[in-house]
Every structure is written in C-alpha cells, then in structure tokens.
Amino acid sequence: MAALRRIARERGGWWHAYVCPAHGVELDHGDLLGGVFPEDGARCAHGCRVDTEAVRGAWLVLSHQAWARHLRVLAHRGERAEAVARLVEYADVYAGLATERHGEAQTWMLRGRLFHQALTDAIWAVNIGHAVNTLAAKDTEGLAAVLPLLDDLERAALDARDVLTGQGHLASNYTAWLNAAGVATSRAAAAVRGREWDGAGQWLEGAHGLYAHLRVAVAEDGWEWEGSTYYHGFVLRAALLALRSIDPAAIPSDVVGVLAGMTDVLAAIATDGGILPALHDGPYLRPPLALEWLELAALAEQLVPSEALDAVAVRARAELGEHDDGLDRELGGWFAGPPLPRRAAPGAVTVFPSAGYGVVRAAGIHALLDFGPHGGSHGHRDKLSLYLYGDTTPWQPDPGQVPYAHAEFRDLYTSTEAHPAFRVDGAEQAECTGALLASDTSSVSAEVTTAYEGVRAVRRVAAGDCYLVDLLTVTGREAHRVTAQLRPGTALDIQLQAAGPVRTTWYGDETLHGWHTHTAGVPVRPVTRPGPGPADDPQRVRTRVDFTAEAERVTFASVYQAASAGPAVSEVRLDGEELTVELADGSTARFRTEG
C-alpha cells in the first residue's frame, strides 16, 4: 500500500535547526510528503531521537519544500488532478496565515510568512510558480483558485525586496531568490489569466531586478561576492530558474557574461570526477544539495554548456541514489532559444583574484589554494589553506559546515584548527585577507601578513611533470611556534624515516603519496592525533598531522604524487631556498620558495 501523503498546515521554522545536538549531524528526514513529524522524534545516524519545537519547525520547512518540488514533478509528468488539488490546498493554507509574518524568527532574518525567512518563502514560491506555469501551458482549468496564492507570493517577494534594497542590500543572495520568486509567480499568474507576461521590467530589468543584482553581486573574476561555493551556486541557480522561457540572445550581453563567468568558476573548481569543493561555509555532503547541483547543471547545460558541469551532474545523481526525485528531468527546453557556445575546459592553473583562490591541476591531483577575503558571515579562518582532491577522492578537502543551529560544531568548522592551513603559537588566525603574489602556467603564490601580528606567510603551489609541489614559508620578527597542518578527509598513514622526508599515504578511490621535509637545521616535530572529519559527520574520526617548529623562519615543503602518475618520485630534499625533486627515471626538477 502506498504511503499516505498529506500537506502539513503549520508554518515552517528554520531548517538549520534540523541537527542532532549531541552529534552535530543533520537528522534523517523521514517521509517528508507524509506531512507528519516522525513518530518518537527525528532519527540521528548515531542512534538518537530528537523532538524539540525547533526541530519540528525545521522538519516542516523540509516537508513544505519537498512538496513544492514534488508539485513541479507532478506537473511535468502530467499528473494534473493531483497537482491542481494540492496547489489549491496550499492556497488555502497560505490564505489561512493571513498577512502576518513569522513571529518566532531570529532577529537578523528578513521574516517570511510560511517560514522563518523570507528567503525560504521565496525558494518555495519559485517551485510553486513553476508548477503552475507547467500546468497552465496545457490547460488553465482549476487554476483560478490558485491565483490569490500567486498574487500574494509576488507581493510578498516585492515587499521583502523593497526592504532589502532599502537597506542597501541589492547584492544579497536573498535578492536573487526574491527576484526569481517574483518572476515565477507573476509569470504563472499571467498564464492562468491568459495574458502576456509583463513583469520583465519589475523583476528582470528594473533598478532592483535580477540583472541589476547580478551586476553588483558578482566580481570580475566570476565569483559571487561571498566567495562560497554553495552561495555562488545558490545565486546562479536562482538566476537560471528566473530566466525560464527567455531567449539567451535577449539577455543583456554583460549579464550573459556574468552568467558564463559564474559557470566557469564552477567548472574550474570542480574535479574531473565532478566533486565541487565546499569552499567557505556550505554543506559537505547532503542529498538536497546534490539535487540543487543536479538542477543547476541541467539548466547551465542549456544556457552555457560545460563539460565540467556534466561531470558534476553525473556525480550529483550518483550521490542522490534513491533520493533522486527527477526534478532535473523537467528542465528540457527551459530557455526559448539556442544555448551559448560551449565553455572552454579550464587550464592547468586558474586564478580568481577577487575571491582569492588558485586552482592547480597536476597529473591526477586537483589542488586549491585559499588566500582571499574572509567572506563575512560565511568566511572561515583558513588563509593559505591547501585543499587536495583526486578525480573522485577528497584527500584533503575543505571540511564544509554543519547546520548553523549547532553553534559549537559551527565554530569548530570555521576555525583554523579545522583547516589545512598554518597556525602560530597555537592561536587562531585573525579574520583577514591574503594577497596574490604571482601566477603562471604551472604555479600560484600567495601571502598573508595579518593573520598573526608580525608574521608573514607565503605559500607556493606548483605543478611538476607528474606531481605537485607545496612550499609554505613562515617568517616572524622573533621565534614563534609555527605549525603546518594536514587535515585528511580520507584515511591516512604517516611514516617517519631514519633519514629523509616524512612519508604519508592517503587512501580513497585513488591513492596519494606525500613527501614532507623542512628547512635544514630547524627541528620539526610531526604529531598525529585523531580529529573530526568533514562536517557531514563530525563524529567520523580522521588522522590529523601537525608539523611544528620553533623558529623565526621556517619552510615546510611537501611533494604529492597520485599513485596513477609516474615515473615515481625517488628523492625530495630542501637545500636553503630550493627544493629538488628527483624521479625514478633520473630526471630532476628544482623549485624556489617564495618570500
């Protein structure tokens, strides 16, 4: 017998509260379309059952959003009777909330009506609008009852946008989704009324419309201003959803450039196997996030096609598994004209000066150097972190972030301690910005001078013929305790040798070998300890490694080689400011430190 499906009639809360207070993991969602909070509480993967008002409110968010997505899918499949009936039911629910805003939202939020946040209302409204649009394209019968809901949602989006822009927040990611909600609901209402849509001036072209938002929210290097993979994709997805039925040729050329640049960002940071690093404050792994990446990749393929995003889509569908609800399948023909030319594949080195990332690809290793602005509320204290990936293996990833309501684990994952960065005297880095020193076709160098008072750190990452070189130099006005940190996302072995470099082996779908040495004459203590792994499960233990020296100046040198690459590295040594790497075939290369 099929499970009973019903729409919950209560307001949703804040989804970030859907987290186990003991273990920091997002709770199991249960049957979101059943409309009833799980009996005996929401399950935690470690055996807990959690039942609080905040968790119940968070579950309602997930349920309402799942229903909105489901209605889009029903409309696409042609299951008209069920879709219309549920939309009419939601119109009744929304009308029953009158016009009052959510009374229990946090003070920093722009409050919604069905949810804590106006942002969450907007995301829900986008799916509702597109469900109605799809139905109305074939037949408007029964949809007149949904018009009050559509009109109210458009008005709520406009009111919220007016508040935001009145506060000077045109660049906010809220604005992207409020515009997308305005487009979707007003276009749907026009279709139900049998009229031409006349909302482009309000929602796309106006002073506070989508195009104006994108012009101020995205930097010249293509990154959304927050410098976060998640929020970058969040804004791009809102924009692509808003452009339904728009001919790409009709979009202003500068806005087309912004959208193409945003797509290029994701292509450059994605591994060949489709991993999108969770840079600066996004979930590490989460089925709803995989669904978002799948939807974004499907839309981008029709507007600014990219082979790299094709790989992201394949990986996202694999991560979804049984959670895949087919939402991306309805997107064929989303735009009214042919796509733009296919985007070129990223090169061996890509630098994003505004966001402060350098990407280096080297024989099976995908490396990212983080040196940019802190990122406001979405930043981490992680300057000069070095993230290492294989095609499908997160050897040393950005660990991501837990749901925000877990303050203790959220603090942990913003810390210097949690990242493959450097520390001085055991202290946290200050919130700061590094600077790009140099880049060429095979390397990137960056520095930071304000993470610790009186200390300058420089990191150079370079691609060799079949390996990657990492040179981290830290200099102070006096001797400090300086630590270079390895933070694996996979199992790792470490072996000290009687002479020569420390060896590491990193496991996963692919294997990585590491050689680690340092300035001659400076004693370095390598210490391993268990620590939390990436943020999807803080209880999962990974072996952390700290290389610590007492010195005024010290260079930590590492060479990494994927097991699939060759010839094998046979010797690594640091002589003064020069690192020598020898291979088993007798070839030799030398790399200078920076600074």
Side-chain angles (χ1 to χ4, degrees):
M1 177 183 290
L4 179 66
R5 290 179 167 179
R6 62 179 292 272
I7 288 173
R9 303 187 67 86
E10 301 85 6
R11 297 179 194 270
W14 188 38
W15 89 258
H16 281 286
Y18 206 65
V19 61
C20 176
H23 297 101
V25 296
E26 184 174 352
L27 299 166
D28 183 80
H29 293 180
D31 179 14
L32 292 175
L33 299 181
V36 178
F37 183 73
E39 186 177 357
D40 299 327
R43 291 178 182 270
C44 158
H46 296 280
C48 301
R49 288 284 201 160
V50 186
D51 188 351
T52 66
E53 285 303 312
V55 166
R56 284 176 172 265
W59 185 89
L60 285 166
V61 175
L62 300 171
S63 178
H64 286 310
Q65 297 289 10
W67 263 107
R69 292 193 304 271
H70 183 59
L71 291 173
R72 265 182 62 181
V73 173
L74 289 177
H76 171 65
R77 291 175 181 167
E79 297 182 35
R80 182 180 184 85
E82 172 73 358
V84 172
R86 297 302 191 176
L87 286 164
V88 170
E89 186 176 353
Y90 259 130
D92 180 63
V93 170
Y94 200 79
L97 298 175
T99 57
E100 81 180 70
R101 299 292 176 186
H102 203 299
E104 299 175 3
Q106 284 84 344
T107 56
W108 57 267
M109 291 178 180
L110 189 61
R111 296 183 179 187
R113 182 158 151 188
L114 184 59
F115 306 98
H116 268 197
Q117 289 176 279
L119 173 61
T120 317
D121 272 38
I123 295 168
W124 183 81
V126 167
N127 283 321
I128 294 294
H130 286 308
V132 175
N133 252 308
T134 300
L135 293 168
K138 295 182 179 179
D139 188 349
T140 61
E141 184 180 355
L143 293 177
V146 186
L147 283 171
L149 171 63
L150 297 172
D151 292 342
D152 279 353
L153 290 174
E154 183 190 11
R155 189 175 304 111
L158 183 60
D159 290 346
R161 194 186 71 176
D162 285 347
V163 171
L164 268 184
T165 56
Q167 296 171 345
H169 297 314
L170 179 60
S172 168
N173 60 58
Y174 270 70
T175 310
W177 280 95
L178 292 168
N179 278 315
V183 171
T185 55
S186 64
R187 188 185 285 278
V192 173
R193 291 185 170 104
R195 302 173 184 169
E196 290 292 320
W197 181 60
D198 62 359
Q202 174 76 274
W203 295 110
L204 296 179
E205 301 160 356
H208 300 144
L210 179 69
Y211 299 160
H213 163 75
L214 291 172
R215 287 170 178 138
V216 299
V218 181
E220 290 185 4
D221 65 2
W223 273 93
E224 195 265 348
W225 68 273
E226 291 165 279
S228 160
T229 307
Y230 176 72
Y231 287 98
H232 180 92
F234 189 65
V235 168
L236 178 57
R237 189 166 61 92
L240 296 176
L241 287 169
L243 294 174
R244 181 175 185 170
S245 301
I246 300 293
D247 186 341
I251 303 172
S253 59
D254 65 318
V255 175
V256 168
V258 170
L259 295 171
M262 294 182 79
T263 304
D264 286 347
V265 161
L266 296 176
I269 67 170
T271 72
D272 290 345
I275 297 177
L276 278 169
L279 303 171
H280 284 200
D281 220 35
Y284 182 75
L285 284 175
R286 184 175 187 256
L289 177 59
L291 183 61
E292 292 176 15
W293 290 131
L294 183 57
E295 181 180 68
L296 188 154
L299 290 167
E301 178 64 21
Q302 297 181 64
L303 185 70
V304 280
S306 161
E307 290 183 7
L309 292 192
D310 293 346
V312 170
V314 170
R315 183 175 181 86
R317 189 170 281 115
E319 289 178 5
L320 280 167
E322 64 182 20
H323 298 284
D324 183 0
D325 63 8
L327 192 63
D328 68 306
R329 318 283 207 271
E330 67 164 295
L331 300 176
W334 191 260
F335 304 100
L340 302 168
R342 180 168 285 273
R343 309 302 295 170
V349 174
T350 307
V351 177
F352 300 104
S354 298
Y357 297 118
V359 183
V360 180
R361 296 170 183 263
I365 302 173
H366 185 88
L368 293 98
L369 174 61
D370 180 352
F371 60 88
H374 178 69
S377 62
H378 298 300
H380 293 180
R381 297 182 292 278
D382 59 355
K383 294 310 99 178
L384 300 192
S385 282
L386 178 64
Y387 304 116
L388 302 172
Y389 299 83
D391 286 354
T392 59
T393 302
W395 288 311
Q396 181 162 258
D398 186 307
Q401 186 55 275
V402 298
Y404 293 169
H406 202 296
E408 294 84 359
F409 279 122
R410 189 181 184 195
D411 287 346
L412 170 69
Y413 285 104
T414 63
S415 70
T416 308
E417 170 70 20
H419 291 84
F422 75 100
R423 279 180 297 149
V424 173
D425 296 329
E428 287 287 299
Q429 293 182 2
E431 297 181 3
C432 63
T433 300
L436 178 67
L437 290 179
S439 65
D440 54 34
T441 58
S442 63
S443 69
V444 177
S445 300
E447 71 169 352
V448 62
T449 59
T450 52
Y452 300 96
E453 185 177 357
V455 174
R456 177 176 185 254
V458 178
R459 196 160 207 163
R460 182 184 182 207
V461 181
D465 289 340
C466 56
Y467 52 85
L468 184 83
V469 169
D470 169 37
L471 296 163
L472 172 63
T473 301
V474 182
T475 306
R477 292 194 290 260
E478 58 190 30
H480 290 279
R481 190 170 78 258
V482 181
T483 301
Q485 303 180 161
L486 302 183
R487 295 293 181 262
T490 63
L492 172 142
D493 287 338
I494 180 169
Q495 295 147 354
L496 276 62
Q497 312 296 316
V502 174
R503 294 291 307 274
T504 53
T505 305
W506 311 59
Y507 300 99
D509 294 341
E510 303 129 304
T511 300
L512 180 70
H513 299 292
W515 294 258
H516 311 273
T517 188
H518 54 272
T519 302
V522 176
V524 169
R525 185 177 181 87
V527 176
T528 68
R529 58 174 60 88
D536 59 312
D537 185 357
Q539 306 306 313
R540 182 179 49 232
V541 175
R542 295 295 186 224
T543 299
R544 293 180 166 185
V545 183
D546 289 348
F547 295 101
T548 301
E550 293 272 355
E552 290 184 17
R553 177 183 174 88
V554 60
T555 294
F556 301 95
S558 296
V559 175
Y560 297 99
Q561 185 175 49
S564 59
V569 171
S570 58
E571 186 174 351
V572 172
R573 61 180 182 274
L574 183 63
D575 302 308
E577 300 299 314
E578 187 174 79
L579 179 74
T580 299
V581 181
E582 296 183 5
L583 301 179
D585 66 358
S587 60
T588 300
R590 294 178 175 83
F591 300 84
R592 297 286 299 178
T593 65
E594 297 283 349

